[in-house]
Amino acid sequence: MSHVSSHSPQGQSPLRTVQVLGGGSAGSSAHVRSLASGLVARGVRVTVCAPSEADRAYGFTGVGAEHVHVPRSSDPASVAVLRAACAEADLVHAHGLHAALRAALALSGRRHTPLVVTWHTRAYAEGARAHLLRMLERRVARAAAVVLGTSSDLVDRARSRGARDARLAAVTFPSPRGTDEYEDPDRLRHKARAELGATGRPLLMAVGSLDRHRGYETLLDAARAWRGLDPAPLLVIAGEGPLRTVLQRRVEDEELPVRLVGRRDDITELLAAADLALLPSSWESRSVLAQEALHARVPLVATQVGGIPELVGDAAELVPYGDAGALAEAVVRLLDDPARREWLKERGAQQAATWPTEDETVAQVLSVYDELTQPRPLG
């Protein structure tokens, strides 16, 4: 049975929450949409403060939430808009580090409005910026009544930064949007493979922003090792980012069997067409790619970092981060072992079935809200 807020049955006004989203990764944006939908269905009033493009992409208003446009920047104007949006809130829930900082600034001076923060991922910084990042994490961790981390190491990180109360978050798999369930899967698979140039050869798929922490340099090193196979697998990387030019130059100079296809809105179809999904990152929490791969029964090769082992269990091939040899060897071995690939498909589906449902995710969050907003007995 679903957890229902204890505010409404006692004749009190419905719980009023504000969800604060910054730039919003695919995972956190989908999570907020799912959360908003479940909370509204349980009688909670939900306002989502996020850039307008996030509402257009994820449809917060479509599930019954109110949307307030708040720009990504932390300038005084955006904090003022956020402060006004939070004026009548019983509780504010911020998603991500920068959204949490703005929420903390907006709530400054309002001691009686609890702040819940979900850390969906870990920010990256080097040198002097790393020191600033630690300061920001400390400020946010200490401002929050409860920090929810999407992986155990994020919970540990929040505690190390001074969080009063840090817990593991139940986060459901963000269900793919925009796919046509009536389309023939085999036809879609052949169509996607033909478009990518992978007819008659294995197709390997990686997805994510072209940033240094994603491990794409190591992935290209590994691609050198499997380009001698016959037929040579085609590696397709979907995403955009600052390393685009560097990676493209390497692909051309080294004649690697790799295609950079930029940002795509048909990732679900492309992934379903792949023989293997690859995740070479230096750190991940609840990787959307890993979840989509296991749901789609696509064998996954991933780095043994962050929340990945906790998320996938034994349902993926795990390799050390930055080890191109181990990554290439795992790919070649799997391509040569159909039985192992079939086992991983079955095990992946079983593992995916153990992840929290939308109902469980909403129930956990609502229990935290009730805990923080119910009147406490005197004495």
Side-chain angles (χ1 to χ4, degrees), residues 53-132:
E53 58 267 26
D55 185 44
R56 285 193 294 272
Y58 290 91
F60 307 124
T61 49
V63 297
E66 180 186 349
H67 171 251
V68 174
H69 169 65
V70 179
R72 295 169 188 240
S73 67
S74 292
D75 64 38
S78 68
V79 173
V81 172
L82 191 54
R83 182 177 290 119
C86 294
E88 301 299 321
D90 296 307
L91 179 142
V92 176
H93 189 165
H95 300 264
L97 203 57
H98 293 284
L101 176 64
R102 281 185 288 165
L105 292 171
L107 291 175
S108 59
R110 296 184 54 197
R111 290 170 169 257
H112 301 298
T113 305
L115 173 63
V116 176
V117 174
T118 296
W119 281 6
H120 292 268
T121 186
R122 194 178 79 186
Y124 297 87
E126 297 174 359
R129 290 179 64 85
H131 176 66
L132 290 173

Side-chain angles (χ1 to χ4, degrees), residues 142-188:
R142 292 170 181 177
V146 174
V147 177
L148 298 172
T150 58
S151 62
S152 295
D153 64 326
L154 281 178
V155 174
D156 293 342
R157 190 179 182 91
R159 287 177 181 147
S160 75
R161 297 293 190 256
R164 290 171 278 167
D165 186 341
R167 313 177 191 181
L168 186 63
V171 178
T172 190
F173 166 68
S175 52
R177 303 181 69 209
T179 56
D180 188 345
E181 59 185 289
Y182 300 106
E183 284 266 25
D184 175 31
D186 285 336
R187 195 186 75 79
L188 284 175

Side-chain angles (χ1 to χ4, degrees), residues 70-362:
V70 179
R72 295 169 188 240
S73 67
S74 292
D75 64 38
S78 68
V79 173
V81 172
L82 191 54
R83 182 177 290 119
C86 294
E88 301 299 321
D90 296 307
L91 179 142
V92 176
H93 189 165
H95 300 264
L97 203 57
H98 293 284
L101 176 64
R102 281 185 288 165
L105 292 171
L107 291 175
S108 59
R110 296 184 54 197
R111 290 170 169 257
H112 301 298
T113 305
L115 173 63
V116 176
V117 174
T118 296
W119 281 6
H120 292 268
T121 186
R122 194 178 79 186
Y124 297 87
E126 297 174 359
R129 290 179 64 85
H131 176 66
L132 290 173
L133 177 62
R134 279 193 298 276
M135 290 176 59
L136 172 57
E137 289 178 339
R138 278 199 295 272
R139 170 78 189 267
V140 165
R142 292 170 181 177
V146 174
V147 177
L148 298 172
T150 58
S151 62
S152 295
D153 64 326
L154 281 178
V155 174
D156 293 342
R157 190 179 182 91
R159 287 177 181 147
S160 75
R161 297 293 190 256
R164 290 171 278 167
D165 186 341
R167 313 177 191 181
L168 186 63
V171 178
T172 190
F173 166 68
S175 52
R177 303 181 69 209
T179 56
D180 188 345
E181 59 185 289
Y182 300 106
E183 284 266 25
D184 175 31
D186 285 336
R187 195 186 75 79
L188 284 175
R189 177 181 169 86
H190 291 309
K191 179 181 170 186
R193 292 177 73 95
E195 186 230 319
L196 295 170
T199 302
R201 64 195 296 198
L203 174 60
L204 316 177
M205 193 81 206
V207 181
S209 56
L210 306 184
D211 294 303
R212 198 159 300 284
H213 70 270
R214 294 286 185 180
Y216 290 134
E217 294 272 21
T218 302
L219 192 52
L220 294 193
D221 291 342
R224 279 208 305 264
W226 65 60
R227 68 181 171 184
L229 298 178
D230 185 22
L234 174 65
L235 168 63
V236 171
I237 302 175
E240 274 300 346
L243 288 186
R244 172 73 187 234
T245 304
V246 174
L247 296 175
Q248 187 63 51
R249 187 178 302 123
R250 276 198 61 186
V251 169
E252 293 167 3
D253 291 351
E254 299 172 37
E255 298 181 346
L256 300 175
V258 177
R259 281 193 63 189
L260 306 181
V261 296
R263 215 175 258 112
R264 301 282 295 235
D265 54 14
D266 57 348
I267 296 300
T268 301
E269 290 89 340
L270 297 185
L271 186 60
D275 296 288
L276 299 177
L278 308 182
L279 185 64
S281 305
S282 64
W283 189 89
E284 293 279 352
S285 177
R286 294 187 70 85
S287 160
V288 174
L289 175 67
Q291 293 178 79
E292 286 190 322
L294 268 59
H295 263 284
R297 299 169 63 88
V298 177
L300 173 70
V301 179
T303 41
Q304 193 165 356
V305 296
I308 292 297
E310 183 178 24
L311 179 68
V312 303
D314 63 354
E317 294 282 350
L318 298 181
V319 298
Y321 168 69
D323 190 334
L327 181 56
E329 194 271 333
V331 167
V332 172
R333 187 178 68 249
L334 273 180
L335 290 176
D336 199 38
D337 189 347
R340 174 67 178 167
R341 293 202 306 275
E342 284 303 314
W343 186 88
L344 285 173
K345 289 179 186 180
E346 292 300 323
R347 188 68 194 88
Q350 293 167 10
Q351 180 71 9
T354 69
W355 295 335
T357 63
E358 283 191 290
D359 200 56
E360 289 165 342
T361 300
V362 175

